[in-house]
Amino acid sequence: KNEVEQSPQNLTAQEGEFITINCSYSVGISALHWLQQHPGGGIVSLFMLSSGKKKHGRLIATINIQEKHSSLHITASHPRDSAVYICAVSGGETSGSRLTFGEGTQLTVNP
Amino acid sequence: ETGVTQSPTHLIKTRGQQVTLRCSSQSGHNTVSWYQQALGQGPQFIFQYYREEENGRGNFPPRFSGLQFPNYSSELNVNALELDDSALYLCASSLVGVDGYTFGSGTRLTVV
């Protein structure tokens, strides 16, 4: 079992829909990261969370430390949101500052 | 504030050859981590460099090696390339003790 699990693996939505991507982890962490990867390969950091909730524009990230679960929400989705969204964790006792990644969620938003 | 720059962006090598990939860290960052991302998968940790020394290593064989220079830039070297080494190689810089990472755009390596 992977230390970081994401669902769904693939997600197709219509423009304007509310989107949720889930992430569960099985190790102790100091922070959870949500990242966006476009087809060219470059990765952009969206959020870094250690507790609670963060919001940036149409993106909202939440984390429940007790349940070891995080969600990324996209409100009023747009075709430009199409990308791979990756959850990663850092700061565990064995992992230190390295990132441990989930497999990613391929999001496609159709006009 | 400069970001992380990786070079080259694309590379094709023959099985058995050696390759060197380069990464410049973001200004103010002193740690560089390298990751391998196979197609359709999440990135896997290769190793991390801090103060010019390896500071943690993932499950990769010794033919994967690295360097960090006084200006915190880094190299990833892979010897005796295998077909399975074909992947996107990502570099991320950070500041030790501070969570937060800046990624480069990656080098796509194809081994034929």
Side-chain angles (χ1 to χ4, degrees), chain B residues 9-88:
Chain B
T9 55
H10 295 84
L11 199 54
I12 299 175
K13 287 286 190 177
T14 303
R15 190 172 50 183
Q17 284 188 314
Q18 178 266 344
V19 69
T20 297
L21 310 182
R22 295 179 174 83
C23 170
S24 70
S25 64
Q26 178 169 305
S27 176
H29 285 182
N30 56 14
T31 301
V32 174
S33 304
W34 286 91
Y35 296 86
Q36 180 196 66
Q37 186 178 23
L39 199 61
Q41 298 182 20
Q44 298 292 318
F45 176 72
I46 302 174
F47 44 55
Q48 182 183 85
Y49 275 83
Y50 169 61
R51 287 186 175 178
E52 302 177 49
E53 292 195 359
E54 190 178 285
N55 181 39
R57 188 180 183 92
N59 189 26
F60 281 82
R63 59 190 185 83
F64 285 78
S65 64
L67 284 173
Q68 187 181 32
F69 300 99
N71 66 355
Y72 305 122
S73 66
S74 177
E75 286 182 354
L76 163 66
N77 299 290
V78 187
N79 294 322
L81 284 166
E82 301 177 359
L83 298 178
D84 284 349
D85 296 333
S86 296
L88 179 69

Side-chain angles (χ1 to χ4, degrees), chain A residues 9 30-31 33 35 37 39-45 48 84 86 90-91 96-104, chain B residues 31 33 35 37 40-45 48 55-58 88 90 92 94 99-101 103-106 108:
Chain A
Q9 193 172 15
S30 64
H33 306 255
L35 308 157
Q37 186 172 36
I43 289 179
V44 174
S45 178
M48 184 174 66
V84 175
I86 306 176
S90 62
S97 62
R98 75 179 70 169
L99 288 168
T100 301
F101 291 83
E103 296 286 305
Chain B
T31 301
S33 304
Y35 296 86
Q37 186 178 23
Q41 298 182 20
Q44 298 292 318
F45 176 72
Q48 182 183 85
N55 181 39
R57 188 180 183 92
L88 179 69
L90 292 160
S94 58
D99 263 323
Y101 303 84
F103 283 84
S105 296
R108 188 162 298 280

